[in-house]
Amino acid sequence: MSSDPHVRLRPIGWSDAPDLVAAAGTRRVARVTGQHRSGYDVSEFSGDVRRVQPPAAWTRPRGDPALRAAVGDWVVLDSDGANIIELLPRHALLKRGAAGEHYRQQLIAANVDHVLVVCGLDADFNPRRIERYLLVIQASGASPVLVLTKVDLLTDPALVEGAFELLGDVRAQGIPIHAVNAKSADSLVVLHQYLGPGKSAVLVGSSGAGKSTLSNTLLGREKMKTAAVRANDSRGRHTTTHRVLTPLPQGGVLIDTPGMRELKLSGEEDLADGGFEDIEALSGMCRFSDCGHSNEPGCAVNAAIADGSLDEARYAHYCKLRDERDAAAVSLAQRRAEERSIQQAKPRRAKDKLGRR
Ligand SMILES: Nc1nc2c(ncn2[C@@H]2O[C@H](COP(=O)(O)OP(=O)(O)OP(=O)(O)O)[C@@H](O)[C@H]2O)c(=O)[nH]1
Ligand SMILES: [Mg+2]
Ligand SMILES: [Zn+2]
């Protein structure tokens, strides 16, 4: 037997992070590659897939979803390899607010080093949506990379330049941007710096952006199904329906995800770190500390809009994101308080029952 218990995990992205190694010990470790109603898919080595069952606590409807495994997580299995018994510590977690009446968070991927935001250079191109993605990624602990696909469809190079110009704020944050043809392996060589042994990346973006096409080209085989977008508006058909983690031939892993209709903020985003540092700083320079930036005298925000140093549309977008983040943060706090009171009520209820006997 090998003296290195994690040798088979390295090709599926094991990073030898000290806290992970310490928590795993010599137990049976696997990586979550898929999540289904009937259980989790996990791999103990490259090419392996096994359907396992989660601990009972994870199947209860309430409770913090971040305490359950997501695709990309490392978990400890029981000795038969049939059940997950523990979730190992993670270094990054990408999540969003889930659509629906009640506030919930949805986990997108865990333990990723890079989040590749995939956006087509067709009607999918939308700088405001990209800014929203970057804000959500900022809270994840992973680094964002912007991948603009379908560059081969643009016959005029000026159009590509125009797209880069519209992403000035993104570039100013130092976020890398690559324009690629997702169907060409040569074109994707620029992405190899984010992939490789010990590294994990996830692809996010709207349906039809080319996430699965990109996955297949990097994999060198047609593992993922792809489908043509609608001609009139470049919208995809939600071809990918589950998140899937796949080891790459050059090492490391890539997670493909279903196209997102809407990316709601989770409430944990920091606007200053998420690309709006300048606006947050300006707000601090107004004469009144509680300035609403409407008609107050000495308002630094209005002054910046007036002298053209702050784009009004960008400011409006910032306000929208800030209000959404604040509302989500209130819901998140309420949700956590409810969960705490349920947790605290449990032992009391058990005691009541014992007392009645
Ligand atoms: N010409 C060209 N076509 C591309 C490129 N990337 C993707 N496509 C095409 O765009 C369509 C949608 O690609 P998919 O890979 O299925 O998109 P997706 O992001 O996985 O979509 P969902 O699974 O629905 O979220 C397919 O017809 C691809 O062939 C590209 O860089 N160039
Ligand atoms: Mg897809
Ligand atoms: Zn002000």
Side-chain angles (χ1 to χ4, degrees), residues 119-140:
C119 181
L121 281 166
D122 49 10
D124 184 41
F125 185 74
N126 179 336
R128 293 286 175 245
R129 178 149 34 77
I130 291 169
E131 284 174 11
R132 173 179 281 271
Y133 270 102
L134 297 176
L135 183 57
V136 169
I137 296 165
Q138 170 276 324
S140 73

Side-chain angles (χ1 to χ4, degrees), residues 150 152 181-183 207-213 226-228 238-240 259:
K150 313 192 186 186
D152 53 298
N181 172 0
K183 293 177 169 182
S207 177
K211 299 176 295 299
S212 301
T213 305
T226 63
H238 293 279
T239 313
T240 306

Side-chain angles (χ1 to χ4, degrees), residues 133-348:
Y133 270 102
L134 297 176
L135 183 57
V136 169
I137 296 165
Q138 170 276 324
S140 73
S143 306
V145 176
L146 182 53
V147 182
L148 304 175
T149 53
K150 313 192 186 186
V151 70
D152 53 298
L153 298 181
L154 297 185
T155 41
D156 182 356
L159 289 172
V160 185
E161 271 168 43
F164 272 75
E165 252 161 53
L166 287 169
L167 295 168
D169 295 328
V170 177
R171 278 186 299 161
Q173 288 177 64
I175 293 165
I177 309 178
H178 305 285
V180 302
N181 172 0
K183 293 177 169 182
S184 148
D186 287 345
S187 176
L188 298 187
V189 169
V190 291
L191 302 183
H192 289 192
Q193 59 186 306
Y194 312 113
L195 311 163
K199 288 188 202 162
S200 302
V202 61
L203 301 165
V204 296
S206 39
S207 177
K211 299 176 295 299
S212 301
T213 305
L214 211 146
S215 301
N216 289 343
T217 305
L218 288 169
L219 275 171
R221 64 191 165 95
E222 301 296 302
K223 175 178 167 135
M224 303 300 300
K225 236 169 70 179
T226 63
V229 298
R230 289 202 306 220
N232 59 336
D233 58 7
S234 307
R235 284 219 192 173
R237 294 157 202 271
H238 293 279
T239 313
T240 306
T241 52
H242 291 90
R243 294 181 272 272
V244 190
L245 179 148
T246 317
L248 291 170
Q250 72 266 37
V253 304
L254 189 65
I255 301 171
D256 190 5
T257 67
M260 296 187 206
R261 284 190 180 83
E262 156 184 61
L263 187 68
K264 281 193 180 175
L265 304 186
S266 72
E268 291 171 279
E269 294 81 9
D270 181 326
L271 285 129
D273 287 345
F276 299 99
E277 193 182 4
D278 55 333
I279 301 182
E280 298 254 295
L282 268 179
S283 314
M285 285 153 61
C286 299
R287 184 178 307 160
F288 303 112
S289 61
D290 61 346
C291 183
H293 320 307
S294 41
N295 296 314
E296 290 88 340
C299 173
V301 171
N302 282 329
I305 291 171
D307 72 16
S309 57
L310 174 61
D311 178 56
E312 194 163 7
R314 181 163 165 264
Y315 178 64
H317 186 229
Y318 159 84
C319 291
K320 183 167 182 268
L321 291 172
R322 182 200 52 200
D323 293 350
E324 186 182 325
R325 192 271 322 267
D326 290 350
V330 169
S331 304
L332 176 65
Q334 274 168 358
R335 179 93 199 204
R336 292 214 165 127
E338 274 167 36
E339 277 156 15
R340 266 197 305 278
S341 65
I342 291 170
Q343 284 301 321
Q344 282 160 0
K346 264 187 208 152
R348 210 181 313 130

